[in-house]
């Protein structure tokens, strides 16, 4: 009653006072794709926002205004920059252009927008970002090394470092900036700082080493304080690659940190790493490496070690050393965090007698162990992805990776342990030496990955496909651990370029991968050789840092061209494209220098159509020959053409018209050479494999008159294999797209819904919870593929996810950051419904359809400040929108027809079409 009265009164007052509440507001503020980032070293950060206009159709922004200030109240004197009202519909990645930013400063920003009719919104809520150390001279700290010996040996215990300091006055705020050669954890007064794990992440350390910025204001107290750090091997010093390169980046661990205290009286104090720090090499964390795992002896814990008044008289002095500071950069990507927890679904004993917990999900991270027992007892956790045919714990596919966690008890009560300096890829955990009875509540799976914002969902009427989507998403979680990796478990876990290239578009539907790939692509450019060659893995640990000639393989190196282009299309990130452009171009020039005079790139493919399916692959990596094989020079020349094509398009976007023309010509000339060498006048390809047709069609390498024959050959091959694919890493991502683009979505659906091997659903039927490396990782009789290469968590074949979003649900990938959206579902006869949603830079896009008794209902959501083109196999007069004939539907305009499809233009809003 009271509330009713209040509303009435308010409305009356608003009416009398002439206020009209705006029907829209501005929200979703992001700075450099991130929500309120701390420690950003971008000098002209870019701002993105969304308009929320619920219930309105066709909302467009006509103008905006941005303000930046040093206090959240935006007082006149704290105002740093005011863009003024800008007549523009842009709302994504608009750059700051005020006075030069100061280091280590928190800036608040807000935005308002005007709609098409000139109605002005209120200011958005304030968001902020905080600048990092923008100048080299901001670094006052010196590197310190815990190891005293000149050449330390492999497998040292994690080192502990500490120092005490006094906060003399009242603290207003405090920040810590830290990084390490190795993994590190930072502590203040006994508390771990921040919730990030595996810091400082993995980059091409010689050229790019990230430091982290932490707000430690709440951890300090007046008077005595202490700062501590634990430093383990990390990616810096673990053995990496299957040859276990040790010390690739250096043989010694090191730590760098500076703390800035700001007092309420405006004065400052710095605590920096230097020779005044103390070091201990005898803490609880023993041997620790990425592939090995971690050993922990709780009897060696040092209570109070990172608190003041701890007795460190037996500790040694740290060694201050002068490493160059030029490679330091702020971490601008999303941190790796503990994202979720899962409990075992079952604990059982295997036929061989192992006590095993089944987590129910192939996951990446580690296990938190709860245990009670006697001092000195050791519990060993071993990690495996699968059980073998007989139900025994199976680790052969891990190759030399041990994946163990060994915990030695302190004794005397309940103890809880979690590894910190390694991570594990597993579904099953074998527990040896557990005192007492192991219960599910004693083990918790801690899922660890880069903390990307989830953006997409896909769901349909077939539960196996829904499980496939689940498996794709989990493949992404497990292999987006600061760098995109091939696999998370065996002695590899490397940033394989080809794998990332094929999976990136799917990844971008599932989560916001802009910051993640922006970081990794900078490493790619950093590790690219001066001749333009792009190594197999990024960060490159397979070649000597100064090696000029490095192995390059078509489809792998092309990641340096294809991924920036994909990201540009998805996020409209022109600055990223501009930054990567020299690298993209250098790669194509590299191929040009390796190709022969007629523009064929012979010998350019090392891996071919990696792991394509053919029936006799036991013990073979199956990329050499046989049924389904695609000629390697065919592949490399096709990718050469495709990358040249992309560079010409990128040049066009960036206004480099001379380059655009040159690379367009190059593309045309490669195409001519390709046709002459590899395509018969009948439209047959030399290899006649599925991948050969897919690449030629998708990369537009065929003359128009031969396309139908090529499509027919592809379809015939699939039908002859009774709706099975034979493609590998390079052909698979485009296979269903090519079919749909040429009117054969029915064939694409038959492939997608195929349940016998090779197919996407075969592993699902075999109980997979992630994507397998091979089509036949586990045979129908439950025996395994070759132990040399058989990962059960490899995202590459998950690239089908992109087709599921784009074609099955119809939510097509953006071409200018989704400012103009295309909705075009293929209403598969073998599904009753399919729906997808995607959180774009403008807001949520959704497309979902349902078939009932021959009628289709399509629900579409288009975010404010965008428009969509909808293509449907329908007649305008038989189509209804929200129950009305089309002519009465607000925000809908009939554009015409494209072939059999009716084209409608939609403004923002939610629509329900029936036909
Ligand atoms: C990796 C890949 C990678 C391949 C290169 C493998 O060992 O696991 O996924 O792309 O090597 O062919």
């Amino acid at each position: 009653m009271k509330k009713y009265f209040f509303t009435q009164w308010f409305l009356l007052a608003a009416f009398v006072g002439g206020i009209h509440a705006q029907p829209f507001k501005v929200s979703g503020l992001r700075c450099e794709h991130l929500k309120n980032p701390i420690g950003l070293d971008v000098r002209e950060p870019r701002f993105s926002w969304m308009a929320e206009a619920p219930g309105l159709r066709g909302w467009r922004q006509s103008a905006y205004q941005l303000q930046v200030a040093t206090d959240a109240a935006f007082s006149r004197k704290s105002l740093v920059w005011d863009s003024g009202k800008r007549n523009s519909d842009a709302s994504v990645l608009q750059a700051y252009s005020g006075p030069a930013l100061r280091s280590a400063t928190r800036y608040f920003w807000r935005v308002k927008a005007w709609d098409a009719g000139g109605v002005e919104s209120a200011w958005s809520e304030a968001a902020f970002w905080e600048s990092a150390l923008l100048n080299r001279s901001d670094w006052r700290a010196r590197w310190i090394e815990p190891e005293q010996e000149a050449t330390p040996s492999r497998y040292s215990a994690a080192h502990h470092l500490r120092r005490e300091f006094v906060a003399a006055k009242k603290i207003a705020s405090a920040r810590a900036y830290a990084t390490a050669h190795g993994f590190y954890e930072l502590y203040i007064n006994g508390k771990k700082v921040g919730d990030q794990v595996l810091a400082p992440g993995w980059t091409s350390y010689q050229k790019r080493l990230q430091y982290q910025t932490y707000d430690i204001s709440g951890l300090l107290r007046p008077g005595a304080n202490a700062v501590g750090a634990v430093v383990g091997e990390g990616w810096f010093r673990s053995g990496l690659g299957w040859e276990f390169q040790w010390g690739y980046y250096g043989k010694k661990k090191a730590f760098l940190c500076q703390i800035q205290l700001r007092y309420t009286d405006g004065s400052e104090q710095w605590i920096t790493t230097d020779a005044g720090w103390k070091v201990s090499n005898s803490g609880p964390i023993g041997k620790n490496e990425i592939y090995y795992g971690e050993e922990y002896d709780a009897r060696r814990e040092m209570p109070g070690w990172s608190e003041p008044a701890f007795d460190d008289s037996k500790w040694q002095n740290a060694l201050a050393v002068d490493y160059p500071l030029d490679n330091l950069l702020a971490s601008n990507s999303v941190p790796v965090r503990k994202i979720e927890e899962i409990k075992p679904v079952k604990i059982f004993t295997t036929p061989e007698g192992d006590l095993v917990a089944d987590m129910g999900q192939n996951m990446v991270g580690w296990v938190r162990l709860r245990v009670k027992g006697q001092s000195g007892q050791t519990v060993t956790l071993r990690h495996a992805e699968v059980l073998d045919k007989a139900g025994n714990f199976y680790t052969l596919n891990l190759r030399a990776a041990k994946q163990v966690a060994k915990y030695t008890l302190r004794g005397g009560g309940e103890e809880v342990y979690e590894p910190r300096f390694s991570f594990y890829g597993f579904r099953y955990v074998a527990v040896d030496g557990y005192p007492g009875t192991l219960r599910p509540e004693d083990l918790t799976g801690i899922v660890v990955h880069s903390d990307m914002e989830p953006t997409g969902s896909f769901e349909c009427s077939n539960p196996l496909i829904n499980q496939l989507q689940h498996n794709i998403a989990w493949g992404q979680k497990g292999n987006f651990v600061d760098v995109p990796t091939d696999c998370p478990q065996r002695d590899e876990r490397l940033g394989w370029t080809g794998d990332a290239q094929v999976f990136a578009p799917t990844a971008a539907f599932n989560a916001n991968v802009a910051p993640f790939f922006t970081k990794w692509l900078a490493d790619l450019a950093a590790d690219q050789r001066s001749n333009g060659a792009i190594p197999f893995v990024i960060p490159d640990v397979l070649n000597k840092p100064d090696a000029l000639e490095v192995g390059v393989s078509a489809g792998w190196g092309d990641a340096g061209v294809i991924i920036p282009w994909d990201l540009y299309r998805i996020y409209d990130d022109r600055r990223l494209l501009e930054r990567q452009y020299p690298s993209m171009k250098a790669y194509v020039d590299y191929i040009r220098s390796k190709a022969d005079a007629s523009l064929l790139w012979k010998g350019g493919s090392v891996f071919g159509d990696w792991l394509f399916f053919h029936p006799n692959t036991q013990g073979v990596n199956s990329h050499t020959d046989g049924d389904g094989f695609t000629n390697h020079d065919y592949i490399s020349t096709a990718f050469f053409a495709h990358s040249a094509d992309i560079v010409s398009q990128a040049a066009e976007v960036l206004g480099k018209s001379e380059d655009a023309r040159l690379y367009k010509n190059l593309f045309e000339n490669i195409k001519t050479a390709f046709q002459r060498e590899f395509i018969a006048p009948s439209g047959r390809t030399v290899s006649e494999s599925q991948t050969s047709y897919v690449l030629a069609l998708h990369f537009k390498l065929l003359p128009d008159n031969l396309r139908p024959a090529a499509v027919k050959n592809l379809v015939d091959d699939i039908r002859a294999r009774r709706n099975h694919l034979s493609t590998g890493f390079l052909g698979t991502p485009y296979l269903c797209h090519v079919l749909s683009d040429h009117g054969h979505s029915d064939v694409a659906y038959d492939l997608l819904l195929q349940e016998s091997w090779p197919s996407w659903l075969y592993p699902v039927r075999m109980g997979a919870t992630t994507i397998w490396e091979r089509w036949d990782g586990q045979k129908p009789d439950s025996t395994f593929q070759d132990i040399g290469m058989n990962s059960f968590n490899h995202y590459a074949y998950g690239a089908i996810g992109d087709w599921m979003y784009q074609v099955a649900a119809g939510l097509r990938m953006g071409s200018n950051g989704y400012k103009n959206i295309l909705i075009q579902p293929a209403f598969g006869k073998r599904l009753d419904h399919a729906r997808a949603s995607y959180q774009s830079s403008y807001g949520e896009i959704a497309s979902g359809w349902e078939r009932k008794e021959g009628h289709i209902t399509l629900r579409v959501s288009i975010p404010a400040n965008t428009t969509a083109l909808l293509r449907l196999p329908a007649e305008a007069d038989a189509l209804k929108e929200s129950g009305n004939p089309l002519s009465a539907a607000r925000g809908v305009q009939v554009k015409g027809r494209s072939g059999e499809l009716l084209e409608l233009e939609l403004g923002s809003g939610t629509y329900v079409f029936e036909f």
Side-chain angles (χ1 to χ4, degrees), residues 640-803:
F640 178 23
H642 185 50
S643 280
D645 185 24
I646 291 177
V647 167
S648 93
Q649 294 180 61
E652 186 79 50
V653 167
L654 298 173
K656 300 173 191 295
S657 44
E658 181 57 15
D659 274 9
R661 196 182 56 78
L662 278 172
Y663 288 90
K664 175 92 182 118
N665 278 344
L666 180 60
F667 168 65
E668 293 298 339
N669 294 338
I670 304 166
K671 192 164 127 181
T672 309
F674 177 86
Q675 291 173 3
R676 200 182 312 122
E677 182 79 8
F678 300 117
I679 309 293
S682 64
R684 277 192 191 286
T685 61
V686 283
S687 298
E688 298 187 69
S689 65
Q690 292 179 9
T691 289
S692 69
Y693 289 113
V694 166
L695 295 183
L697 287 161
H698 196 69
F699 295 166
K700 310 214 166 1
L701 302 179
L702 298 177
D704 287 346
N705 64 333
L706 294 187
R707 293 176 78 86
V711 172
K712 180 171 184 307
N713 293 344
L714 172 63
V715 171
D716 287 350
D717 185 277
I718 294 167
R719 294 300 194 205
R721 291 171 193 270
R722 283 181 286 135
N723 298 325
H724 288 92
L725 47 73
S726 71
T727 50
F729 275 29
L730 299 184
T732 302
Y734 310 129
L735 175 59
C736 286
H737 280 300
V738 164
L739 291 166
S740 293
D741 291 347
H742 294 89
H744 293 285
S745 285
D746 53 334
V747 184
Y749 271 112
D750 287 342
L751 285 177
L752 177 66
L753 294 167
Q754 178 59 260
E755 294 179 22
S756 61
W757 64 313
S759 69
W760 287 284
L761 293 187
Y762 166 72
V764 172
R765 293 218 55 142
M766 293 293 286
T769 57
T770 39
I771 301 293
W772 295 354
E773 176 172 29
R774 294 173 177 267
W775 294 121
D776 56 347
Q778 189 167 22
K779 303 289 173 78
D781 68 358
S782 291
T783 58
F784 292 121
Q785 249 285 4
D786 178 35
I787 56 164
M789 256 199 37
N790 200 18
S791 145
F792 290 93
N793 194 357
H794 236 72
Y795 53 50
Y797 287 146
I800 184 64
D802 174 61
W803 185 88

Side-chain angles (χ1 to χ4, degrees), residues 539-558:
D540 179 23
V541 288
L542 300 181
N543 299 286
K544 293 242 152 36
D546 51 0
L548 176 65
E549 284 297 333
V550 300
V552 172
S553 191
W556 272 252
D558 300 83

Side-chain angles (χ1 to χ4, degrees), residues 341-350 354-363 366-367 381-388 391-393 425-431 438-446 470 766-770:
E341 301 194 348
I342 58 181
K343 294 306 273 178
V345 293
K346 192 166 111 187
I347 293 180
F348 60 99
T349 304
T350 66
D354 283 317
L355 178 64
V356 170
D358 176 2
M359 303 309 293
Q361 172 63 51
N362 196 4
M363 58 163 281
W366 49 74
V367 166
L381 306 180
R382 293 177 291 131
H383 303 75
E385 292 186 290
V386 283
L387 301 177
D388 71 10
N392 288 312
F393 197 72
F426 63 100
R427 169 170 170 175
Y428 299 95
V429 191
V431 184
L438 181 71
R439 300 154 309 166
E441 51 274 34
D442 299 321
L443 301 174
T444 307
I446 311 287
H470 168 100
M766 293 293 286
T769 57
T770 39

Side-chain angles (χ1 to χ4, degrees), residues 183 195-199 235 335-342 362-368 418-426 444-452 473-483 485 488 516 793:
F183 283 146
D195 56 1
Q196 152 156 21
V197 298
L198 309 180
W235 282 291
V336 179
R337 292 197 172 105
K338 303 181 201 179
I339 308 288
E340 57 192 289
E341 301 194 348
I342 58 181
N362 196 4
M363 58 163 281
V364 174
W366 49 74
V367 166
R368 186 197 300 137
E418 265 183 51
R420 296 113 96 190
F421 289 155
S422 188
F423 58 91
Y424 308 75
F426 63 100
T444 307
I446 311 287
V447 179
V448 166
H449 56 84
S450 287
D451 195 0
M452 306 164 280
W474 276 85
Q476 178 162 354
K477 293 178 196 201
N479 285 296
F480 278 53
V481 180
D482 211 45
V483 300
T485 55
F516 178 86
N793 194 357

